Amino acid sequence: MRMRDKRIATLLAACAAAAVLAGCSGGSDEVNGGTPAAPTAAPGSTAPATTPADSAAGTGNQAGGGGTTGVPRCTSAELSLSLGQGDAGAGSVYRPLVFTNKGTRTCELTGFPGVSYVAGDDGHQVGPAAVMNGPHGPEISMAPGRSSQAQVQFVQVANFDAAVCKPTPVRGLRVYPPGETASIFVPMDGATGCAGTPPGQQLSVQTMTAA
């Protein structure tokens, strides 16, 4: 009897140990009610960085190249740029920066482009870039051949103290469409910018609107 009792006790202990092991390692690698557990990064590796919604030189739209309506964002390669005719104000000239869709698909632009003066053969920036002026506008959709625009204010830098402004002839503008990191050059004739830090803004830009 004692030998049989010992065998039964040994068998019960083995079953209990098997049950514990099954509870620890058996089943699935799922947590939160059936959601697969997230894989862990290998030692020394880093997780992919997330892209902010308003990335790049201009503040644009959602990351990944698309607006809220599902229309893809216009890339720099799909756009041509020009400066429209200007209106003179008090010490400034206002000219529309016109973006034309030269691609084969409908695309959109949202927000502010990045704008700065450039000079020299190397296209170096001259003075501060344009500040954003006004509210962030809606998504502007453009079919092939259609245009949108952003109004740019060019301050007459001759009104600034020359010692502070350091007036410098410029070749034109370096423009980053909203959300883009590739720039487009727009030539200008007879323009002058401040190579120094002027007491006011030499350039300001408004949000994208329909042309």
Side-chain angles (χ1 to χ4, degrees):
M1 293 293 291
R2 292 180 180 178
M3 181 61 69
R4 187 177 68 177
D5 291 342
K6 288 182 180 181
R7 289 178 180 177
I8 292 173
T10 302
L11 180 60
L12 290 174
C15 290
V20 171
L21 290 174
C24 293
S25 61
S28 63
D29 291 332
E30 293 183 345
V31 293
N32 300 330
T35 303
T40 56
S45 66
T46 57
T50 57
T51 304
D54 287 339
S55 61
T59 62
N61 42 19
Q62 297 178 348
T68 57
T69 62
V71 178
R73 185 176 63 217
C74 299
T75 65
S76 297
E78 294 176 299
L79 298 169
S80 62
L81 263 66
S82 61
L83 271 174
Q85 296 300 312
D87 295 321
S92 298
V93 174
Y94 297 83
R95 300 181 66 180
L97 187 59
V98 181
F99 296 74
T100 300
N101 181 0
K102 66 178 183 179
T104 58
R105 64 174 185 170
T106 296
C107 58
E108 62 82 26
L109 293 173
T110 308
F112 302 85
V115 181
S116 60
Y117 281 131
V118 292
D121 293 336
D122 59 350
H124 64 272
Q125 182 171 321
V126 175
V131 298
M132 295 177 290
N133 184 20
H136 190 288
E139 178 180 317
I140 307 299
S141 181
M142 298 185 296
R146 301 303 295 271
S147 299
S148 60
Q149 64 184 25
Q151 195 77 7
V152 180
Q153 179 185 9
F154 300 86
V155 173
Q156 301 287 357
V157 298
N159 295 331
F160 295 136
D161 181 354
V164 177
C165 170
K166 300 179 181 178
T168 303
V170 298
R171 294 176 52 202
L173 301 173
R174 177 184 293 121
V175 178
Y176 292 91
E180 280 292 283
T181 56
S183 64
I184 305 173
F185 174 70
V186 181
M188 294 180 67
D189 294 328
T192 302
C194 290
T197 305
Q201 302 297 336
Q202 64 175 351
L203 293 168
S204 65
V205 62
Q206 296 179 13
T207 192
M208 298 297 306
T209 61

